[in-house]
Amino acid sequence: MTTTTEFDAIVIGAGFAGMYQLICLRDRLGLKTRVLEAGDGVGGTWYWNRYPGARCDSESHSYQYYFSRELVQEWEWSERYPQQPEILRYLNHVADRFDLRRDIEFNTRVTAARYDAAANRWHVTTAAGEEMSCTWLITAIGCLSSANVPNIPGLADFKGDWYHTGQWPHEGVDFTGKRVGQIGTGSTGIQAVPVIAETAAELTVFQRTANYSVPAHNAPLSPEFKRYVKEHADDIRDTTRRTPNGHPFEIAQRSVWDVSAEEREALYEKAWEKGGLQFRATFQDLLVDKAANDTAAAFLKGKIRSIVKDPATAAALADIDHPYAAKRPPIDSFYFEAFNRPNVHLVDLRSKPIERITANGVKTSGAEYPLDIIVFATGFDAMTGPFMRMDIAGRDGLKLKDAWAAGPRTYLGLQVAGFPNLFTVTGPGSPSVLCNMPVCIEQHVEWITDCIAHLRANNIATIETSDEEAEKWVAHVNDAANATLLPMAGHSWYLGANVPGKPRVFMPYAGGMLRYREICNHVAARNYAGFKFGT
Ligand code: NA7
């Protein structure tokens, strides 16, 4: 590692996005690039989220980089849905294979970044007080990296241990013989419950909002499937680039109303047997027609009631208040089955909310639950949270916090007006969390790289969008969301509703990855329409 503090480009974050951005800028464009990473290793999401049962909900053969044919050929996944340690091994392999570590500064949290217009440089400050500067500043900070520990009164009084799933201790947590309370039943909580239940003496699950879940049917990959992936790598890549959510399966063209009720039930049953996020692809109108969605919702609620033996518990788990997949739909490995174990109990917070945390456990308006360990599976301050914990100031000292006071405003999710030469990989307003992440990351990183190459080739010093363009794009993002049922889950983190006081704005772009890619390509082809160049 050199001691230079002046760079062409600084990339914040060394997860999937930051690592590929380093490869592109350093190895393809020859830029002097530095990556700053808060953790002591690469991996981003997969570095921090080490909770029991942490697993990817995208199928392994689609949850990887496709930019290098050699890399695709040499890596082999072991399971249909890879576990956190395997994904972290993969990302470490990529770091080694492309010799990335020499340009990544670990244990380095960026606290501030300030644009100096006179010098046309970004000045970046780290928690340790280091200062460095660059022309191009790229955030690769993840959409779900700012843990949300709810401000429940009394947490400081709790005598036991508590953990947030997104900041899990590297040495793990031993639940043996312990009374564990888990707050939260999103994708994370649904993965964690069955695994914690195996060793905990008692597991009490505090549910505020009941959730759908479809079985993952995870299993080791067969030698035939592994061979298929290698032989059809290009086809798989092309499929993920063609489908709206970046997954390796097509959405059926039929409508719920094209088939009879019996046929529909049989198709849902088949999709349930296959498992995974593909359930959403059974019909093309599940996310746009509420009555169509109701048929899937009824099927899935029926499954919960058929799995969970205690009728009161089954009723509370199936009492779901939003359309299927309007919130990010979880997939699971024996989540509902876990409630048939004698050591797992459900507490429905809807009628009796948590009042406080006491020295001994969690107190709801109904009872106090004595606990040794509390697990917060309470999600993230999504998409904007990672930006807001840095002090970012653009032209004329404009603070990002102020620019986004009423919610994030970007052009294409790639740039913010008033912040020249700052690019935001998978920023708010891009498909990001509505897409299989490696697919949208590769698209963003390649677009940014091509853009910087274009600017350098044409001696253009700055690129910057305008308020008008951002306003138009935000309106388009809203229209895209409103054309779907997604806004009907009023408490979803897509809307920022899980964090008290956060502006309710639909943040990801719901128009589909294919359409988004075409828009970005079109913008670039029209000499970066919507951006202003400065010399
Ligand atoms: P999510 O999906 O935001 O889930 C968080 C869960 O925690 C959800 O059930 C919340 O209930 C619950 N929660 C949050 N705050 C509280 C309080 N104060 N009291 C009780 N319950 C609370 O986060 P995940 O980590 O599961 O998943 C995030 C994404 O990671 C996932 O969507 C995938 O894309 C990968 P609520 O629904 O808000 O009522």
Side-chain angles (χ1 to χ4, degrees):
M1 177 88 49
T2 60
T3 54
T4 320
T5 57
E6 299 202 337
F7 300 94
D8 296 322
I10 291 179
V11 178
I12 309 175
F16 257 102
M19 288 168 62
Y20 184 37
Q21 191 68 75
L22 173 59
I23 293 170
C24 286
L25 295 180
R26 185 191 70 182
D27 300 343
R28 292 191 197 156
L29 302 193
L31 299 194
K32 197 191 317 169
T33 307
R34 171 66 49 94
V35 178
L36 305 176
E37 165 55 53
D40 70 2
V42 298
T45 290
W46 302 104
Y47 173 90
W48 299 103
N49 283 270
R50 299 172 188 239
Y51 61 86
R55 196 184 280 287
C56 185
D57 288 347
S58 295
E59 294 183 66
S60 53
H61 63 293
S62 67
Y63 198 77
Q64 60 182 10
Y65 296 112
Y66 268 93
F67 68 83
S68 159
R69 282 207 168 85
E70 297 74 25
L71 178 62
V72 172
Q73 290 304 319
E74 73 200 18
W75 185 261
E76 192 167 280
W77 295 104
S78 66
E79 293 179 279
R80 179 175 178 191
Y81 297 99
Q83 268 193 306
Q84 175 270 335
E86 190 172 18
I87 306 173
L88 195 55
R89 273 201 301 281
Y90 169 72
L91 291 168
N92 274 288
H93 167 72
V94 174
D96 292 336
R97 191 188 189 288
F98 294 94
D99 192 17
L100 301 183
R101 287 176 219 281
R102 66 185 156 94
D103 291 304
I104 305 176
E105 201 173 312
F106 293 106
N107 300 305
T108 304
R109 184 173 285 284
V110 172
T111 51
R114 175 179 61 82
Y115 178 66
D116 172 357
N120 185 30
R121 309 247 339 138
W122 278 94
H123 294 274
V124 174
T125 309
T126 72
E130 243 185 311
E131 301 271 346
M132 45 194 108
S133 73
C134 60
T135 305
W136 317 106
L137 179 62
I138 295 134
T139 60
I141 50 185
C143 299
L144 299 164
S145 53
S146 184
N148 169 43
V149 178
N151 193 11
I152 302 172
L155 182 55
D157 303 336
F158 183 55
K159 291 212 194 80
D161 297 316
W162 66 268
Y163 308 93
H164 185 280
T165 49
Q167 296 171 336
W168 203 254
H170 289 200
E171 63 280 10
V173 175
D174 184 5
F175 294 106
T176 317
K178 305 282 191 199
R179 295 163 307 175
V180 182
Q182 180 184 301
I183 303 177
T185 53
S187 299
T188 299
I190 281 176
Q191 287 184 340
V193 161
V195 184
I196 296 177
E198 279 171 20
T199 52
E202 302 291 332
L203 172 60
T204 305
V205 180
F206 296 91
Q207 170 187 278
R208 187 165 70 178
T209 305
N211 222 335
Y212 303 95
S213 187
V214 170
H217 293 312
N218 183 50
L221 293 177
S222 65
E224 295 73 42
F225 189 79
K226 289 179 184 172
R227 202 165 45 245
Y228 161 83
V229 169
K230 303 271 182 244
E231 288 172 1
H232 296 85
D234 288 356
D235 300 338
I236 294 166
R237 182 202 57 209
D238 293 348
T239 307
T240 63
R241 290 184 180 183
R242 196 172 56 231
T243 50
N245 301 99
H247 286 293
F249 49 79
E250 309 277 355
I251 294 176
Q253 285 309 301
R254 61 182 169 239
S255 154
V256 160
W257 313 118
D258 289 344
V259 297
S260 68
E262 295 71 39
E263 231 178 304
R264 191 179 308 137
E265 205 65 6
L267 287 165
Y268 283 142
E269 194 62 49
K270 205 167 141 208
W272 175 271
E273 284 311 315
K274 192 164 177 55
L277 292 173
Q278 202 163 346
F279 190 90
R280 212 170 28 175
T282 313
F283 296 102
Q284 50 87 2
D285 43 357
L286 288 183
L287 263 179
V288 291
D289 175 348
K290 171 70 168 56
N293 191 290
D294 287 346
T295 65
F299 175 87
L300 293 171
K301 289 176 185 178
K303 282 291 181 191
I304 299 171
R305 285 190 288 266
S306 74
I307 296 169
V308 180
K309 296 199 175 105
D310 173 55
T313 306
L317 286 166
D319 186 13
I320 307 173
D321 65 358
H322 52 277
Y324 167 64
K327 292 174 89 165
R328 161 70 152 73
I331 65 173
D332 71 274
S333 296
F334 308 108
Y335 172 65
F336 295 117
E337 289 82 349
F339 290 92
N340 293 332
R341 297 174 65 117
N343 67 332
V344 178
H345 322 284
L346 183 72
V347 174
D348 186 358
L349 298 176
R350 191 123 45 114
S351 49
K352 295 191 171 73
I354 295 178
E355 283 183 347
R356 61 180 299 109
I357 292 173
T358 64
N360 298 319
V362 169
K363 186 177 178 316
T364 70
S365 60
E368 182 171 356
Y369 299 86
L371 301 168
D372 302 308
I373 296 175
I374 301 174
V375 173
F376 287 94
T378 44
F380 301 89
D381 182 354
M383 306 203 72
T384 51
F387 287 95
M388 292 310 169
R389 62 182 176 182
M390 296 184 284
D391 181 13
I392 302 182
R395 208 180 267 293
D396 303 323
L398 173 66
K399 301 264 188 190
L400 189 63
K401 287 185 180 68
D402 295 330
W404 285 5
R409 293 165 57 79
T410 68
Y411 178 43
L412 302 172
L414 277 162
Q415 265 219 341
V416 187
F419 296 78
N421 294 352
L422 170 70
F423 293 98
T424 53
V425 182
T426 65
S430 73
S432 56
V433 292
L434 295 179
C435 180
N436 180 23
M437 288 306 298
V439 176
C440 57
I441 284 171
E442 285 196 334
Q443 184 266 342
H444 254 196
V445 166
E446 287 164 8
W447 192 95
I448 292 167
T449 305
D450 291 346
C451 176
I452 292 177
H454 174 82
L455 302 173
R456 283 167 57 83
N458 293 285
N459 288 319
I460 297 165
T462 59
I463 181 165
E464 183 178 0
T465 192
S466 64
D467 277 326
E468 298 70 49
E469 291 301 333
E471 200 161 310
K472 277 191 267 170
W473 184 251
V474 169
H476 180 59
V477 170
N478 279 328
D479 290 346
N482 289 335
T484 72
L485 303 181
L486 293 169
M488 287 185 72
H491 37 58
S492 110
W493 58 259
Y494 294 153
L495 275 162
N498 63 327
V499 176
K502 189 166 170 171
R504 293 204 179 192
V505 173
F506 197 87
M507 295 183 285
Y509 177 59
M513 190 59 211
L514 176 63
R515 185 164 158 212
Y516 176 78
R517 186 189 295 274
E518 282 167 4
I519 294 171
C520 290
N521 289 347
H522 189 60
V523 163
R526 286 166 51 228
N527 198 25
Y528 294 92
F531 292 97
K532 288 178 294 192
F533 293 150
T535 45

